[in-house]
Amino acid sequence: MKAVHYSVIQGKSFGYILLLGIFGAITAFGFGAALYMEHNGHIVTGMNNQIVWGLPHVFAVFLIVAASGALNVASMASVFGRALYKPLARLSGLLAIALLAGGLAVLLLDLGRPDRLIIAMTYYNFKSIFALNIILYSGFFLLVGIYLWMMFERRMNPFTKVAGFFAFIWRLILTTGTGSIFGFLVARQAYDAAIMAPLFIIMSFAFGLAIFLLVLISSYAWTHREIGDAVVERLRKLLGIFVASVLYFVLVYHLTNLYVTEHHGIERFILLDGGIYTEIFWMGQILIGGLIPLLLCLTPLGRSRPMVLLAAVLVILGGLAQVYVIIIGGQAFPLELFPGKGVSSSFFDGQITFYQPSIPEMFLGFSGIGITLLITTFAIKVLPFLPNSLANKDVDPHFTDQSKGDSGPSAEAATA
Amino acid sequence: MSIGRRDFLKASAIATTATAFAPGINLIELAAARNPEQAATAIHRWGLLIDVNKCVKGCTACVDACFIENGINEKGSPTTDAQWIRKVTTKDKATGHEQIFPVMCQHCEHPPCVDVCPTGASFKRKDGIVLVDKHICIGCRYCMMACPYKARSFVHQTLTGQNHNAPRGKGTVESCTLCVHKIDRGDGITACADACAGENHKAIIFGDLKDPRSEISRQLKAQASSQIRADFNLNTGVRYRGLS
């Protein structure tokens, strides 16, 4: 493999300024929404005493999960020694930090008292998985920061592997922590399951890689740099495997619940008659976020660049749908205070709760994506994150392009 | 009348002894208000016993009294208005048997809300009362996700007309305090239990679960009682009698 040359992007074009403007505006709207919510209280949101975590949490959890997943590409280069991924490692680290920053910003700005950040940073209840997550998130910034430094600074290059290893272990613990926020909730029918932690880890692989692919291909297209199929094809197939793994974990989760009579209520709600949640599950999570991307990633159907982009976008949309079903669907189903009894009260006991996200919540949620992309767009202008070329000849001289000529087993065999 | 030296010394000795021992003798049991500087101790464990069979359908005296006592006055947005106590109706799916009774924070010995709270704002006093420290609650609502009893409310809007006994705060979580201010000043009863007794229903008994002489302990010992979702093993401070 040739030496990799990185460079900053020029960032003087109208397109670049426009992009910064758009991401900046999305971010600004989010901050405005947060101020509005803090001033008026959460009564201006769709959240209430039944659905206590709403759309901002869907975006925040999605971004935080994706953050650890985005680091995977770098891990594959540094920890597992796959040379092909090495040129991609810097962008992978950058996206990991940017995604986490976006997710945490949303989470923080949705707090009832965001002004008390200093309390969250200084008062710790170590039995709380939330408190541990605050430490895990801070540590992630630090470790990935060090990891990037090792990659950027030539003198430090020999330590890249060690830094990458620690960042990799840390990200596994971090996603375990995020999944356990739900896994450790004993009283809710939809949660209270150890599988939440590994499910979140595999979700992070898929979401993180989808975002990585999207950013990678777009930035190369917009900066007129070459990116060959050696990279894209590998990532596309990898995405397919991750999407399949997510589907497998979701299947195991629901099969386990279906076996236990106690959980039949919540399963019926999500899978059959939960209205909007059932629709989002089957249409959003399974079809759009699962089966279609699976087809695009693992068959020749998705070989063209637009199809790869489409697959990545679908995985992201499906991922948001999945987190929506987990967080909102899990709360909409009532708590079981009196098993075997029908329950009613002025506090909506026993009722399936209606939730309609409000405009400020949407602004706040989307601002997480805005912050992530703003950081990324800015960072690739000031530091050399992107290799000058990811053309086939530069990343893998032995790569044979299977899409040329007839696709099919015989053609592949001939070119191999 | 003259008094001899011997009598004088005798009288003095008696008076001195009496002065020394008198503070330790309580001829009358005074209301046991704690000094504000004195911390709550594990000598007590405060709790409630709710007799489901005595609770009257349509009566909301306990709920009304709680709201007045604690300054809970938001109205008009049922999904977001705080409810520290609520009347719940259960109906057996198989038999159709109905029961009505109040549910509030169950003041668990092992409260899940305290476990999950990142800052330690949710805490349990030594005397078993589960509270939220409004000064360090960041409003994350994780405790509301964790509470098996749906006992907590989040303050969704600006508050007016607060009761100085029960300070509340927009953007923080709150729940039944077991009228901690009343306990600490030695009232010996919660607003809900007081109101229920006032209606002559006597469905709510407040008392010290650790004092074998207290009425609540005697009643709990004499007759069967249960906890809501006893399977969670949280050892609640609020017990129910007659809950089928």
Side-chain angles (χ1 to χ4, degrees):
Chain A
M1 189 172 172
K2 292 181 184 175
V4 185
H5 297 286
Y6 298 86
S7 63
V8 295
I9 63 163
Q10 274 195 325
K12 285 177 184 157
S13 68
F14 173 72
Y16 180 82
I17 306 292
L18 184 69
L19 265 189
L20 274 188
I22 292 170
F23 300 149
I26 294 172
T27 306
F29 270 105
F31 281 110
L35 268 177
Y36 176 69
M37 279 162 60
E38 203 199 347
H39 182 73
N40 293 288
H42 275 59
I43 196 154
V44 296
T45 72
M47 289 177 268
N48 49 49
N49 283 327
Q50 286 69 45
I51 305 280
V52 302
W53 286 350
L55 197 63
H57 300 81
V58 172
F59 277 92
V61 169
F62 173 82
L63 290 169
I64 291 167
V65 166
S68 56
L71 192 68
N72 256 18
V73 176
S75 301
M76 276 183 285
S78 308
V79 182
F80 300 105
R82 308 300 293 266
L84 180 86
Y85 297 102
K86 202 172 166 229
L88 309 173
R90 291 184 181 183
L91 179 64
S92 166
L94 168 64
L95 269 178
I97 286 183
L99 283 162
L100 188 65
L104 285 183
V106 176
L107 203 61
L108 172 72
L109 291 173
D110 177 77
L111 290 177
R113 295 296 304 260
D115 53 314
R116 289 182 176 171
L117 174 64
I118 191 70
I119 289 176
M121 304 299 287
T122 50
Y123 284 69
Y124 285 107
N125 164 27
F126 288 104
K127 200 177 176 187
S128 165
I129 192 72
F130 232 37
L132 294 176
N133 278 346
I134 295 170
I135 296 168
L136 287 169
Y137 298 148
S138 317
F140 188 78
F141 279 125
L142 187 72
L143 279 176
V144 178
I146 292 172
Y147 183 26
L148 280 173
W149 175 36
M150 301 295 135
M151 287 194 260
F152 272 94
E153 175 63 58
R154 197 177 288 269
R155 288 175 301 140
M156 295 296 183
N157 282 172
F159 303 108
T160 305
K161 197 177 168 69
V162 182
F165 177 75
F166 279 106
F168 175 66
I169 298 294
W170 196 268
R171 65 125 310 192
L172 289 180
I173 301 172
L174 183 142
T175 325
T176 302
T178 313
S180 300
I181 290 177
F182 302 95
F184 288 0
L185 287 174
V186 288
R188 302 252 172 192
Q189 297 288 306
Y191 311 137
D192 181 28
I195 200 172
M196 282 293 175
L199 171 66
F200 270 57
I201 289 182
I202 200 67
M203 279 156 65
S204 81
F205 285 11
F207 305 168
L209 185 56
I211 294 171
F212 182 84
L213 254 173
L214 202 61
V215 171
L216 182 73
I217 295 178
S218 328
S219 54
Y220 270 67
W222 289 334
T223 55
H224 308 294
R225 297 181 189 211
E226 200 179 337
I227 178 167
D229 280 345
V231 167
V232 176
E233 272 298 283
R234 190 73 67 89
L235 293 179
R236 176 176 78 104
K237 283 175 184 158
L238 197 60
L239 185 62
I241 292 165
F242 290 163
V243 169
S245 310
V246 172
L247 285 173
Y248 167 75
F249 270 80
V250 169
L251 180 73
V252 172
Y253 165 82
H254 286 291
L255 280 179
T256 313
N257 271 355
L258 283 169
Y259 201 84
V260 184
T261 313
E262 184 197 347
H263 291 134
H264 284 182
I266 178 73
E267 283 305 310
R268 196 183 166 79
F269 179 68
I270 299 293
L271 302 179
L272 277 180
D273 56 16
I276 183 80
Y277 304 106
T278 306
E279 284 167 25
I280 295 177
F281 176 78
W282 288 111
M283 297 302 291
Q285 182 182 336
I286 301 297
L287 187 67
I288 294 174
L291 299 177
I292 298 176
L294 202 59
L295 210 63
L296 291 176
C297 291
L298 297 181
T299 70
L301 271 177
R303 263 206 190 126
S304 69
R305 225 28 87 74
M307 284 299 166
V308 176
L309 284 174
L310 177 66
V313 169
L314 292 183
V315 170
I316 292 169
L317 292 177
L320 282 166
Q322 180 170 14
V323 180
Y324 194 93
V325 171
I326 292 176
I327 296 185
I328 315 285
Q331 292 174 86
F333 189 75
L335 272 176
E336 191 90 62
L337 261 74
F338 304 97
K341 304 254 178 80
V343 190
S344 61
S345 79
S346 58
F347 208 45
F348 305 93
D349 283 279
Q351 284 183 39
I352 285 157
T353 318
F354 178 74
Y355 170 69
Q356 168 109 46
S358 68
I359 302 285
E361 280 172 278
M362 291 183 200
F363 280 156
L364 179 57
F366 277 108
S367 74
I369 297 177
I371 293 167
T372 300
L373 295 177
L374 193 63
I375 293 173
T376 312
T377 313
F378 179 71
I380 56 175
K381 182 182 157 71
V382 293
L383 283 171
F385 279 98
L386 300 179
N388 291 341
S389 166
L390 287 170
N392 294 341
K393 61 180 175 11
D394 294 314
V395 290
D396 184 3
H398 307 296
F399 178 76
T400 48
D401 194 345
Q402 297 174 354
S403 64
K404 294 277 158 45
D406 290 331
S407 58
S410 58
E412 282 175 23
T415 49
Chain B
M1 191 185 114
S2 69
I3 185 166
R5 184 187 290 182
R6 182 185 293 264
D7 286 335
F8 175 76
L9 286 175
K10 200 190 282 177
S12 302
I14 291 168
T16 311
T17 313
T19 316
F21 285 100
I25 302 168
N26 288 335
L27 296 178
I28 304 163
E29 192 70 39
L30 298 168
R34 279 193 300 107
N35 188 319
E37 279 87 47
Q38 207 181 342
T41 67
I43 296 168
H44 307 288
R45 181 169 183 212
W46 303 112
L48 296 171
L49 172 60
I50 294 165
D51 192 332
V52 174
N53 294 320
K54 288 183 181 168
C55 184
V56 176
K57 190 175 182 177
C59 171
T60 55
C62 56
V63 178
D64 300 339
C66 170
F67 283 21
I68 292 167
E69 181 68 36
N70 296 295
I72 303 164
N73 52 15
E74 307 99 282
K75 283 194 176 62
S77 175
T79 55
T80 55
D81 291 345
Q83 293 197 32
W84 291 12
I85 176 173
R86 64 198 191 267
K87 290 280 293 274
V88 166
T89 306
T90 63
K91 191 173 184 179
D92 194 302
K93 283 176 187 165
T95 63
H97 178 64
E98 255 191 26
Q99 292 195 304
I100 295 163
F101 48 90
V103 174
M104 68 293 284
C105 170
Q106 303 287 296
H107 298 280
C108 312
E109 185 190 354
H110 308 290
C113 57
V114 172
D115 288 345
V116 302
C117 178
T119 64
S122 279
F123 70 104
K124 189 186 66 164
R125 288 205 333 181
K126 285 205 169 132
D127 55 6
I129 303 175
V130 176
L131 295 171
V132 179
D133 183 338
K134 304 286 164 33
H135 297 290
I136 56 172
C137 173
I138 56 173
C140 73
R141 286 103 81 199
Y142 197 17
C143 55
M144 298 176 75
M145 292 290 278
C147 174
Y149 303 106
K150 209 169 180 287
R152 293 203 154 182
S153 297
F154 178 68
V155 181
H156 284 79
Q157 56 192 309
T158 308
L159 299 167
T160 51
Q162 291 197 48
N163 185 335
H164 70 277
N165 284 323
R168 308 172 62 204
K170 181 172 77 173
T172 62
V173 176
E174 55 185 27
S175 57
C176 159
T177 64
L178 213 61
C179 284
V180 66
H181 58 284
K182 286 169 71 67
I183 293 176
D184 283 353
R185 72 174 178 230
D187 287 7
I189 195 162
T190 60
C192 56
D194 202 10
C196 192
E199 294 289 319
N200 214 20
H201 297 150
K202 295 181 184 143
I204 306 177
I205 297 170
F206 166 81
D208 184 357
L209 299 169
K210 281 192 174 169
D211 176 4
R213 293 169 307 168
S214 68
E215 193 190 351
I216 191 169
S217 294
R218 283 190 279 114
Q219 292 219 20
L220 281 168
K221 192 174 181 189
Q223 289 185 52
S225 62
S226 58
Q227 307 170 47
I228 302 177
R229 289 306 303 257
D231 56 321
F232 287 137
N233 261 349
L234 301 175
N235 188 12
T236 57
V238 178
R239 303 292 174 117
Y240 289 82
R241 178 189 291 163
L243 197 60
S244 61

